Amino acid sequence: MKKILLLLTLTLSLTAFSQIGETKEIEKYTLIGKTTNPYKWITLEYRDEETASGETKRRHKLSFKNLEYPNINDSATLFFWATPEELDYLFNTFMEMCNVGKDVTKVLDLGEATLSLKGLYKSFDLRVKQDGEPIKHTWLNKGQVKKVFKRKK
């Protein structure tokens, strides 16, 4: 009888603390383009999401390895909503920054972050700020920009 009571008590106590919630299937992002090399990687992805008002918008995810500390494996991910025209503007701005001198700097708001783009020789430095504080950085050249945006022009 003691064994039955012990078994019953143990079973009831374990089931009383179990919690099972409803799971939602999360739609994965679709890769637009990426660039990789031995010391860095950059990807651009998207997925269509329905807003509270019922309209469908395209949410993008820009991810890259933070080059602030090359020996540490740290990454940055920026989420932003963009129409095809806005994505074209971002691509054209990135390409333009590959052709300017070292004295040219542009600032863009992207989602909840601010991008600071500074021209380098045939490339540009991309620094990400959130709440006014610089948090991540990488750099891109023309070929890498074309690969990330999957463009040929």
Side-chain angles (χ1 to χ4, degrees):
M1 184 70 170
K2 286 184 181 181
K3 288 182 182 180
I4 293 174
L5 282 175
L6 182 62
L7 184 62
L8 192 59
T9 304
L10 192 61
T11 304
L12 289 175
S13 65
L14 290 177
T15 58
F17 294 113
S18 64
Q19 294 180 0
I20 299 175
E22 184 179 338
T23 60
K24 294 180 184 177
E25 189 170 325
I26 297 175
E27 187 178 326
K28 295 190 182 216
Y29 281 84
T30 303
L31 182 68
I32 294 174
K34 70 177 179 176
T35 183
T36 60
N37 59 37
Y39 53 90
K40 74 175 185 176
W41 54 266
I42 304 166
T43 62
L44 180 61
E45 301 169 288
Y46 77 91
R47 78 175 176 207
D48 294 326
E49 293 184 8
E50 192 171 313
T51 62
S53 63
E55 73 178 306
T56 301
K57 286 187 170 184
R58 186 158 280 185
R59 185 174 188 199
H60 292 82
K61 179 170 83 167
L62 178 67
S63 304
F64 59 89
K65 180 177 180 187
N66 182 18
L67 296 180
E68 189 76 31
Y69 306 104
N71 296 331
I72 298 174
N73 194 8
D74 182 27
S75 65
T77 301
L78 307 173
F79 296 96
F80 61 97
W81 303 96
T83 63
E85 294 79 22
E86 292 167 331
L87 203 59
D88 285 342
Y89 175 77
L90 186 61
F91 169 75
N92 291 331
T93 302
F94 281 9
M95 289 299 287
E96 178 186 320
M97 290 306 295
C98 292
N99 295 321
V100 298
K102 290 183 176 185
D103 296 335
V104 177
T105 301
K106 282 195 175 186
V107 177
L108 296 172
D109 289 326
L110 190 66
E112 295 182 7
T114 301
L115 304 183
S116 176
L117 314 173
K118 183 175 180 176
L120 301 171
Y121 179 73
K122 295 191 178 188
S123 62
F124 68 94
D125 185 52
L126 172 92
R127 296 197 179 263
V128 179
K129 293 181 182 180
Q130 284 185 328
D131 300 324
E133 295 293 322
I135 57 167
K136 311 283 181 179
H137 106 94
T138 191
W139 60 269
L140 293 138
N141 61 32
K142 277 185 186 181
Q144 292 167 339
V145 172
K146 288 177 185 178
K147 285 181 181 178
V148 168
F149 286 85
K150 207 165 193 172
R151 307 279 175 94
K152 293 184 180 181
K153 67 173 187 170

